[in-house]
Amino acid sequence: MKLFDTHAHLDEEAFHPDREETVQRAIETGVETILTIGTTAESSQRAVDLAATFPNVYAVIGIQPNYVAQMKPNDWELIQTLSTADKVVGIGETGLDRYWDYAPIELQRTYFSKHIQLSQKLNLPFVVHCREAEADVVQLLQQEAADAPLKGIMHSFCGNPETAAACLELGLYISFAGMLTFKKNEELRETARQIPLERLLVETDAPYLAPVPQRGKRNEPAFVKHTCACLAELHQKSPEEMADITTTNAKTLFNIG
């Protein structure tokens, strides 16, 4: 089975004790590729360093919406510099978050647009974080799509079918994480059933929100197989078939051979 974890945070403190072993366990489970995602300028730098360290790890760099108010004067310049570094394959995570009150929504919007425009300039996909801000996210995506086509991912998707449909219409991919496997999330599974196979991706968002049957543990890229198996069942495919589908989609989107 060949798997591709499109979203992990390998630079997080949770992985300090055993980062190398974590990557090795993922490889042994069939995870060919891991994207480690930046959330601040510093974590984006660490993502680039990790991509340089591990052959099967690639970096996505950006400033997550909850951190845009804490940016230091040269942070955005560093993101622009890192965007052309070796093994950087995407921009983000970016987006909007109304759940936490860490950054004014207007500032979040400004940097969401900046990330999308940087991704368009470099022809790299962007990675969207959306929490309790679905209508706002769709509206901004539609605005940006008026200037140039969009190439991106709705990461750890837990929105409604209308949001999914709007994002698909804009050309985006939909990525599912461990929450898809949670017992109470039948509505999310129903939405996942409706996503075309050619737009599906899987991720862990490790170290957060481990899928069933690992729920409650620290999440790690090896666990992406559980979300993939859940998605396979929803689409009446074997886990191996869904692994092939989502891996092919991810390689195509991120231009990884």
Side-chain angles (χ1 to χ4, degrees), residues 40-54:
T40 62
E42 291 85 355
S43 84
S44 293
Q45 179 66 68
R46 291 196 295 270
V48 170
D49 295 343
L50 285 166
T53 305
F54 297 102

Side-chain angles (χ1 to χ4, degrees), residues 36-81:
T36 190
I37 315 287
T39 54
T40 62
E42 291 85 355
S43 84
S44 293
Q45 179 66 68
R46 291 196 295 270
V48 170
D49 295 343
L50 285 166
T53 305
F54 297 102
N56 65 324
V57 173
Y58 291 78
V60 173
I61 52 103
I63 296 171
Q64 204 252 23
N66 290 313
Y67 296 104
V68 293
Q70 300 162 30
M71 288 169 66
K72 296 191 286 298
N74 294 320
D75 280 2
W76 183 245
E77 285 72 15
L78 178 59
I79 294 298
Q80 290 173 297
T81 303

